[in-house]
Amino acid sequence: MQPANLLTVISDQLPNLNCSESKVAAVILADPEAATRSSIANLARAAAVSEPSVNRFCKRFDTAGFPDFKLQLARSLASGIRFVSSSVDPGDDVTAYTSKIFDSTINSLAMVRDRISHERISQVVDKLVQAKRIYFFGLGASGAVARDAEHKFFRFNLPVSYHDDVLMQRMLAATGSAGDIFFIISHTGRTRELVEVAQAARAGGATVIALTAPQSPLAAACTLPFTVDVPENTDEYMPMSSRIVHLVMLDVLATGVTLRRGAEFLPHLERIKKSLQPTRFPAP
Amino acid sequence: MQPANLLTVISDQLPNLNCSESKVAAVILADPEAATRSSIANLARAAAVSEPSVNRFCKRFDTAGFPDFKLQLARSLASGIRFVSSSVDPGDDVTAYTSKIFDSTINSLAMVRDRISHERISQVVDKLVQAKRIYFFGLGASGAVARDAEHKFFRFNLPVSYHDDVLMQRMLAATGSAGDIFFIISHTGRTRELVEVAQAARAGGATVIALTAPQSPLAAACTLPFTVDVPENTDEYMPMSSRIVHLVMLDVLATGVTLRRGAEFLPHLERIKKSLQPTRFPAP
DNA sequence: CCCCCAAAAGGTAATAATATTTCATAAAAG
DNA sequence: CTTTTATGAAATATTATTACCTTTTGGGGG
């Protein structure tokens, strides 16, 4: 959707530029941020060329003119900064690592948002709506995700549980049958235990949905793979953002199911909400 | 620090705007991308106001004028943060509710990122680094957050546990003493049980940190309130994004602690990572 | 209840800033 | 010695800003 980063394009084209154009390029690449703020006269002066030269430079890069060029530049800078600064260094101070972690999480979410198959979400919601019973399975960090999922799906008035105990998972999988959904959550999709659980559940005729990495053994082993591609953090200091993405995906699924249930389901939700009131101090 | 997203700022200010300013805001929010491309005359016409009104609008939002405003707008658009005006409607299709949920989550994160006190993060990290023992407490959805926190903090080689059982929480709070940290997570901060637990733990000399809403009874009851202000979703269909924000805040804290521990701590983390290898299928 | 004033909001038109085009000239290539 | 290409000066067009004027609004006295 977004065209290639303007700064990259400029530096790629650097050898093909003529004298005054490359002077302009040099000034812009030296401080792109400043370039977005200056006027054409300013920039021309800084590059020691005439204003029309700057204008020609802009048009060369498929922009309508100088103002449009600045706009595009600002855009590439904004998206660029966030991608570049995504890993935490040992020397980072609070401000630095805090925004890096937030930015990288936001990026993962934005990326998945733009790439996720809505078709597939629809299919998964279909299955969940028809389910007689749902099990959420996860281990380690994904155990917490499974627990959160249970907490969201119990509202739908059907038997839902989460399990982070491999033995329980195996036993439940062995007894699964048509109408049961085993919803398996795994960051890597390569955990042997979970793959075996998926196979066992499938053998019994149950539906197995896996929220996991694409092209993983787990995705291959289930009936309906629901894969999200979250760029792997190789950085030692960086937290896994796949957990977060998984949680949001489950929010989406739960919302899909709620909408499918229709408006007559709302009083039920309202009742659940009300039930918590006595446990709380009144709102200010 | 990154300035707040311009679109978010505009919609925050929406109620404080006068007639023509809100007309301008409406046009911009309806199609921000188009706004970055149009001239001031164009936009004024679209909003049925005069050009100076648009200019005044721009200055109200701390920009130098219309061109600068467009630049900032372009920047906000490129940051992966998309502005979301409406919440989920019963008539929404998959595409609509999926992006609404993602966008609203991303927005909450961006908002907290720009408003959080780094000073306070630092203080909390200080406390956590010095802890002899950490308990994470949460109920309901925050129980899953507490569980995730346990999974992140156990790496630091000190006794960490999570509890979502009120009786356990009470008993542990009663036995807490200096050097213990009770880290209480609550979306509303108004759960009576948790407030009482906080008071009990504090009475015993333990440090009580609460990740919760500002100005809540829980924030008042603890030694070190660590508040995040996540706009409340009044919408029936919309999931709570505070859970996600809390998880990311805990990521930040864990990263802070890791960095404090220094490089000699990395082999320890590496060992933990290696321990999982036999449980997995090899990576492709 | 009305009138008048003050303050705020909004528009018109003049002005300033900025960008673009046209055209002339100089340098390089053929 | 052309022809092409690169470049800048100046004119023009576009766009934004300012200054100033009109209308509206709301709030006390008369």
Side-chain angles (χ1 to χ4, degrees):
Chain A
M1 182 177 148
Q2 197 84 356
N5 188 292
L6 187 53
L7 281 171
T8 321
V9 175
I10 295 174
S11 54
D12 282 356
Q13 287 295 316
L14 220 48
N16 307 332
L17 298 179
N18 56 38
C19 177
S20 38
E21 282 175 338
S22 53
K23 278 195 240 168
V24 176
V27 172
I28 290 172
L29 292 176
D31 190 350
E33 167 60 30
T36 63
R37 271 196 292 265
S38 76
S39 71
I40 193 167
N42 234 289
L43 191 67
R45 192 147 12 89
V49 299
S50 70
E51 299 181 22
S53 292
V54 176
N55 198 266
R56 281 189 279 265
F57 176 88
C58 297
K59 293 198 169 162
R60 194 183 216 292
F61 290 99
D62 293 314
T63 63
F66 186 68
D68 185 44
F69 179 86
K70 284 201 291 188
L71 230 59
Q72 307 249 54
L73 193 60
R75 234 186 289 265
S76 358
L77 282 176
S79 55
I81 285 166
R82 308 208 171 217
F83 279 102
V84 167
S85 68
S86 59
S87 98
V88 175
D89 295 321
D92 282 350
D93 67 351
V94 202
T95 309
Y97 68 75
T98 301
S99 31
K100 282 179 182 179
I101 289 170
F102 270 89
D103 285 349
S104 106
T105 307
I106 288 174
N107 261 313
S108 299
L109 287 172
M111 198 172 295
V112 171
R113 174 195 63 195
D114 296 337
R115 286 179 181 32
I116 194 76
S117 151
H118 296 138
E119 168 72 21
R120 183 49 60 100
I121 293 176
S122 226
Q123 290 169 354
V124 175
V125 170
D126 279 344
K127 290 281 182 202
L128 289 171
V129 166
Q130 290 159 18
K132 298 234 156 17
R133 178 196 281 273
I134 308 176
Y135 298 105
F136 288 101
F137 288 0
L139 297 173
S142 299
V145 178
R147 186 196 195 288
D148 190 76
E150 180 201 72
H151 183 264
K152 266 191 302 248
F153 278 79
F154 89 92
R155 294 156 203 266
F156 299 125
N157 236 344
L158 56 103
V160 177
S161 58
Y162 92 96
H163 299 274
D164 52 5
D165 171 340
V166 185
L167 298 187
M168 276 307 290
Q169 291 174 352
R170 290 193 101 99
M171 291 190 286
L172 290 168
T175 63
S177 60
D180 293 350
I181 291 190
F182 289 85
F183 197 112
I184 305 181
I185 302 158
S186 165
H187 169 56
T188 61
R190 302 202 318 271
T191 311
R192 287 172 197 281
E193 287 286 355
L194 289 178
V195 175
E196 287 171 24
V197 164
Q199 285 160 341
R202 220 176 146 184
T207 302
V208 181
I209 302 175
L211 180 54
T212 188
Q215 269 112 39
S216 59
L218 180 57
C222 64
T223 18
L224 191 59
F226 185 40
T227 61
V228 288
D229 199 0
V230 183
E232 184 66 71
N233 286 311
T234 49
D235 189 344
E236 274 294 351
Y237 298 105
M238 211 62 171
M240 273 194 329
S241 38
S242 66
R243 289 151 42 238
I244 309 287
V245 173
H246 287 169
L247 283 166
V248 177
M249 282 312 324
L250 282 159
D251 279 344
V252 170
L253 295 177
T255 304
V257 173
T258 311
L259 291 178
R260 235 16 124 62
R261 288 289 180 99
E264 67 269 22
F265 188 58
L266 286 179
H268 177 77
L269 296 181
E270 200 50 44
R271 231 176 312 139
I272 293 174
K273 219 174 188 176
K274 281 244 174 69
S275 73
L276 292 179
Q277 225 165 293
T279 70
R280 296 203 175 129
F281 286 107
Chain B
M1 189 178 65
Q2 200 78 22
N5 184 287
L6 188 51
L7 282 170
T8 318
V9 174
I10 294 175
S11 65
D12 281 356
Q13 287 297 315
L14 220 47
N16 306 333
L17 298 179
N18 55 37
C19 178
S20 38
E21 283 175 338
S22 52
K23 278 195 240 169
V24 177
V27 172
I28 291 172
L29 293 178
D31 191 349
E33 167 60 31
T36 61
R37 272 195 294 264
S38 77
S39 71
I40 194 168
N42 234 288
L43 191 66
R45 193 148 11 90
V49 299
S50 69
E51 298 179 23
S53 291
V54 176
N55 198 264
R56 281 190 280 261
F57 176 88
C58 298
K59 294 200 168 160
R60 194 182 217 291
F61 289 99
D62 294 313
T63 62
F66 187 68
D68 186 44
F69 179 86
K70 283 201 291 188
L71 229 61
Q72 306 249 58
L73 194 60
R75 236 185 288 266
S76 327
L77 286 174
S79 63
I81 300 165
R82 205 182 292 161
F83 173 73
V84 55
S85 52
S86 50
S87 42
V88 176
D89 294 320
D92 282 350
D93 67 350
V94 202
T95 309
Y97 67 76
T98 301
S99 31
K100 281 179 181 178
I101 290 170
F102 270 89
D103 288 348
S104 105
T105 307
I106 288 174
N107 264 309
S108 299
L109 287 172
M111 196 173 296
V112 172
R113 175 196 61 196
D114 297 335
R115 287 182 184 26
I116 194 77
S117 150
H118 297 137
E119 168 71 21
R120 183 49 60 98
I121 293 176
S122 226
Q123 290 169 353
V124 174
V125 170
D126 279 345
K127 289 280 181 199
L128 289 171
V129 166
Q130 291 159 18
K132 299 234 156 20
R133 177 196 280 272
I134 308 177
Y135 298 104
F136 289 101
F137 288 179
L139 297 174
S142 299
V145 179
R147 186 194 195 287
D148 189 77
E150 181 201 72
H151 182 264
K152 266 191 303 250
F153 278 80
F154 88 93
R155 294 155 203 267
F156 299 125
N157 236 344
L158 56 104
V160 176
S161 58
Y162 92 98
H163 298 275
D164 54 3
D165 171 339
V166 185
L167 298 187
M168 276 306 291
Q169 291 173 352
R170 289 194 102 98
M171 292 188 288
L172 291 167
T175 62
S177 60
D180 293 348
I181 290 189
F182 289 84
F183 197 113
I184 305 181
I185 302 158
S186 165
H187 168 56
T188 61
R190 303 201 319 270
T191 310
R192 287 172 196 281
E193 287 287 354
L194 289 178
V195 175
E196 287 172 26
V197 163
Q199 285 160 342
R202 220 177 144 183
T207 302
V208 181
I209 302 174
L211 179 54
T212 189
Q215 268 111 40
S216 59
L218 180 56
C222 63
T223 18
L224 192 58
F226 184 40
T227 61
V228 289
D229 198 0
V230 183
E232 183 66 71
N233 286 312
T234 50
D235 189 344
E236 276 294 351
Y237 299 104
M238 213 64 171
M240 273 192 331
S241 38
S242 66
R243 289 149 43 239
I244 309 288
V245 173
H246 288 170
L247 283 166
V248 177
M249 282 311 324
L250 282 158
D251 280 344
V252 170
L253 294 178
T255 304
V257 173
T258 310
L259 291 178
R260 232 21 120 61
R261 289 290 179 99
E264 67 269 22
F265 188 57
L266 287 179
H268 177 76
L269 296 181
E270 200 51 46
R271 230 176 312 138
I272 294 174
K273 220 175 188 175
K274 280 243 174 67
S275 73
L276 292 178
Q277 224 166 291
T279 70
R280 295 205 175 129
F281 286 108

